[in-house]
């Protein structure tokens, strides 16, 4: 299983023969499929699939796979993405003052739980510089005020380009990202510290305590212009009781936040997530 | 443990010596405490406790326990309730067309999972009559329209009085109860088929599917005039995925609804739930 | 989605082109695949797949699908099963004295959570006759002693044949089934009241209490000659604490047992379970 | 709540008046109880309690609390421990080659999730030295072979005394501790990477994969001479499927191990755990 692989993510209107046609494309070129997942949303009439095959022994050179598959995809009106497992994506993690998600992601990357580089940490506070640098990432302090937001987002965007970043992870960044920014850099995963759609926005643990819920949650989602309303990738929950103060919810929530975020990031990096209609298909 | 017990539920402003004073009251009268639970909400300055002791060997006759304890409670500004384990509460279950919660509660009562009688089932539809009667409960069909609501609620209230009912369980009753009714009969537990406060109101599974959540929930709560906003007694959740249609959410949700409702009812009947500030303390 | 479907379950040595060959078989005969799941066990070199397609518009008559597919399967050294969704399997539920799993399965069948008939209940005790008959099933009392076991198993086998039974569900039957019986009727699902392989055999809740575990479980598995060692289909767990007596574990366990068993039965009846090396692949 | 507190952990034969007598002791000396928890094991005839009160305003000087309480405890045949919240315990973490539990504990200590010092890390491998020192702990490499075990354990014991250690945490230490060692230093918490009592001993994830379980677990327990058989403090579980290889179980297990161990350590350090009959009462 150490050979490099190619992965196709495809969505198209449902019709007969899709599995056969796509599998034939890979087989006829000598590919060995190691994962094949399908989902049909019958209500939407949509077929979604993910195929991963070994490049070892595949007859098409990499640069021709896309064009060749496009000839099949076009008559099917398919949207598709092609990824190679040995292309290592580059991540920027954005943080505020809390370190738990940052440390967790840096540790998992070092432990090879996901295949990515993390060359850049951006924060609106200076205090996580040391930990960033211990893991070999550059740390950029970009303070934000209401007045400087547009200007600072321009600076952030420039950093992303300079570091050649593929994915931004908001690891408790605690700032709203503007629609303008998202339109220019849409690959952003956020961790929200509630079981969305409950407790959208600020201070969800305070709201959860006030409401007296018996279970708290965390939600990892792609960022869209509407606050905390993007496609959900992963969620998880933990039991709480009347004994738990807001501080206890925050403490318990940290354990949720870091595992939920890490699972979402891993799924994304392995190209196991397809988005449609503001929802995700997760081939896990 | 087969001896009858008395249970005191107490809430009062926090102050020194509360545990000692209350425990002394029971000990000095010869009582053997078998359960003692406390909770202090430091933010609210409130002390809440539940004490259960064996009546066997207790020196005070039942009718004097309340008055005697009141002499202690008054200077503490305490609110309190006194319950005896051999007083069997009488339940009316209100249903609509779905049978899963009803059957589950009837089965648990027969299996002695909780100590209560269920003499009365009320429904706005006729179809659950047979199952009600198989378990020995009277079934009353009280159809409701917008126009007849006030009049029918009067009829429902009359039935509750006639059957000497202590607790109403809305076991997927699917109708909003009026504030007027609640003010006249406030002991009502409802099961809501979502992880409140997400998806308040009608069709929560449709909303959950539309939002693309990865986890669904159910919530048992006391009914208050504001819809689905009463004190939460119990919640639980289940994983779902993109493979689950709305029908699958409904099916999976049924398993949640019946256990969450049953747990809440059992906690209530054992006097393990204290309400304050629209929240519950659950001594479980 | 109301059209009848065919389902192929296939396992064979892994090799290139399997997905393509099998999908082509269905497509070239005009079938519309609605579910396709694969799994490759790389360590074992084994490929396992489940394909479900609509029979509406499929060009092969039913009786020819098997023979036609066999021509493809043989060179692949594939083992396969073919099922039609409108063939309704017939279930016998075996019980002892506890009613919770029995009632649950009968209720789910009536609620159409799974497509099956339940014409026969067999018990070594007489007390669940009434409930069986309320749901329209014949009830057969087959008492068992050490001395009469062989003879009574012969009688049970005869009943299974007489009622044309496809699947036996041990819904807390509490008796060990002999190897001889299993060899003659191997389609048996059991619910064991522990998180296997912890607490094999009798009185698992007593053992769990003695060991002081913080979580209890239930396990649904196919029955094999070795006690509680067959392929696991489904498991689930619940939290317990020092407050829970053995009676509490039994009560909480009932809720686990019935949902775990029901999920396993549903998966089996929908042909979503493949067995190999005493393990299951569950395409859920 | 920032005042220092005293905590009494008591177990004694059950009898009337225990709550009153113990609460009176604290009240009559001017103490304000902030937490009081009881448990009665009726089968064992044992009463267990935990009381925590504020030292601010308490009339007895610290050194007299124990002797004074002993006068009450002796006639009750009570065993008891007394702890002060401002006594900071000192922890030694023992590791092997895996860093996830170590890093997690060091991070939680720095984040003040528990009140303790961690001055010493001991390992039979050299590779976690850097991370230990980044968090300010001394790192001691104590390699172990079958032949050197007794001698090296003597060295470990000496280190514990030298560093004035109160608690040893085996954070994936992967070595069996001898009975001799345990008898000399019994305060040891271990994390075992299975849902005990399933898969005692080495390679539990391999065994779990082989058995085909659908759920894996982790167990934190006090160490006793019998391997993996000590009193369980905390357990948790995670779902797995046929898709998960042994490597996946190990990866998923790490997330379980670190949270289960951290919860157990926090409970122990807050004196919320009482042990009797090889089981724990956890006042959480």
């Amino acid at each position: 299983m150490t050979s490099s692989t190619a992965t196709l993510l495809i969505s198209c209107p449902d019709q007969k023969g899709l599995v056969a046609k796509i599998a034939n494309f890979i087989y006829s070129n000598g590919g060995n499929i190691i994962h094949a997942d399908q989902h049909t949303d019958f209500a939407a009439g949509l077929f979604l699939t993910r195929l991963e095959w070994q490049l070892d022994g595949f007859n098409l050179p990499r640069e021709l796979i896309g064009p060749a598959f496009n000839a099949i995809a076009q008559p099917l009106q398919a949207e598709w993405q092609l990824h190679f497992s040995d292309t290592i994506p580059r991540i920027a993690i954005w943080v505020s003052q809390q370190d738990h998600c940052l440390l967790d992601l840096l540790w998992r990357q070092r432990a090879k739980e996901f295949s990515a580089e993390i060359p850049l940490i951006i924060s609106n506070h200076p205090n996580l510089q040391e930990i960033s640098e211990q893991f070999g990432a550059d740390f950029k302090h970009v303070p934000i005020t209401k007045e400087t937001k547009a200007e600072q987002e321009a600076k952030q965007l420039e950093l992303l380009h300079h570091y050649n970043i593929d994915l931004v992870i908001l690891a408790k960044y605690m700032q709203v990202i503007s629609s303008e920014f998202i339109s220019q850099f849409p690959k952003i995963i956020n961790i929200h510290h509630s079981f969305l759609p409950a407790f959208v926005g600020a201070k969800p643990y305070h709201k959860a305590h006030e409401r007296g819920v018996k279970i708290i949650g965390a939600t990892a989602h792609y960022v869209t212009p509407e606050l905390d309303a993007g496609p959900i990738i992963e969620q998880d929950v933990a039991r709480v009781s009347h004994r738990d103060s807001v501080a206890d919810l925050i403490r318990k929530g940290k354990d949720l936040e870091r595992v939920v975020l890490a699972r979402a990031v891993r799924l994304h990096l392995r190209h196991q997530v397809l988005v449609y209609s503001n929802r995700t298909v997760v081939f896990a």
Side-chain angles (χ1 to χ4, degrees), chain A:
Chain A
M1 292 289 42
T2 53
S3 148
S4 292
T5 61
T7 298
L8 266 173
L9 292 176
I10 306 164
S11 60
C12 66
D14 192 26
Q15 57 203 279
K16 278 189 189 179
L18 288 169
V19 177
K21 283 174 189 169
I22 299 166
N24 278 340
F25 167 73
I26 295 163
Y27 177 47
S28 63
N29 288 297
N32 188 29
I33 293 174
I34 58 171
H35 292 296
D37 293 280
Q38 286 83 33
H39 175 62
T40 307
D41 182 327
F42 295 105
L46 200 67
F47 174 83
L48 306 109
T49 190
R50 177 189 187 277
L51 287 118
E52 184 174 356
W53 71 96
Q54 292 170 314
L55 286 169
D56 232 33
F58 198 59
N59 298 328
L60 283 177
R62 289 190 187 205
E63 66 278 10
L64 294 189
I65 299 175
F69 183 70
N70 207 36
I72 293 163
Q74 277 213 325
L76 303 174
Q77 297 173 272
E79 291 178 27
W80 57 276
Q81 311 163 31
L82 176 66
H83 302 280
F84 299 109
S85 66
D86 49 16
T87 303
I88 308 302
R90 292 168 64 82
I91 294 174
I93 302 177
W94 293 21
V95 292
S96 189
Q97 303 201 70
Q98 289 185 300
D99 67 352
H100 58 288
C101 286
L102 174 63
L103 178 59
D104 193 70
L105 291 169
L106 290 169
W107 168 77
R108 287 180 200 270
Q109 189 268 344
R110 193 172 68 185
K112 302 198 195 314
E113 288 204 5
F114 35 74
S115 165
E117 286 168 13
I118 307 179
L120 175 64
I121 313 296
I122 294 178
S123 179
N124 56 336
H125 290 275
N127 54 312
L128 298 181
Q129 176 155 4
E130 188 184 343
I131 188 177
S132 301
E133 292 175 356
Q134 280 178 350
F135 281 82
D138 289 356
F139 179 88
K140 301 293 174 181
H141 179 208
V142 184
I144 300 245
T145 64
K146 220 178 269 182
E147 292 71 31
T148 63
K149 180 154 187 165
E151 171 193 340
Q152 295 300 68
E153 282 196 342
K155 193 169 164 186
Q156 290 168 323
L157 200 59
E158 198 185 295
L159 281 167
L160 299 186
H161 290 312
H162 179 73
Y163 278 85
N164 205 15
I165 296 300
D166 300 295
L167 174 70
V168 166
I169 302 174
L170 305 181
K172 306 282 293 184
Y173 176 58
M174 313 304 263
Q175 298 282 325
V176 176
I177 312 294
S178 75
S179 301
E180 291 70 37
F181 186 94
I182 296 166
S183 70
Q184 294 184 270
F185 194 96
K187 283 273 170 65
I188 310 174
I189 293 176
N190 183 45
I191 179 72
H192 184 72
H193 39 316
S194 87
F195 183 76
L196 287 176
F199 311 125
V200 166
K203 295 204 173 281
Y205 292 127
H206 290 78
K207 292 175 191 163
H209 189 262
E210 173 72 20
R211 180 63 187 93
V213 294
K214 300 303 183 188
I215 288 174
I216 57 168
T219 305
H221 63 95
Y222 290 113
V223 171
T224 55
E226 190 184 342
L227 184 64
D228 297 332
I232 293 169
I233 307 168
E234 172 65 342
Q235 301 188 291
D236 212 341
V237 296
R239 282 222 159 242
V240 296
S241 82
H242 61 270
R243 289 181 170 239
D244 291 301
S245 64
V246 172
D248 292 318
L249 299 195
I250 290 171
R251 176 176 51 78
K252 291 184 169 184
K254 283 181 186 174
D255 280 344
L256 279 179
E257 293 159 22
R258 55 186 197 167
V259 297
V260 169
L261 179 56
R263 281 188 218 141
V265 168
R266 190 171 191 270
L267 289 166
H268 174 86
L269 292 174
R270 295 165 65 91
H271 313 295
Q272 296 178 281
V273 187
L274 265 167
V275 174
Y276 77 102
S277 305
N278 206 45
R279 276 179 287 170
T280 61
V281 168
V282 177
F283 290 126

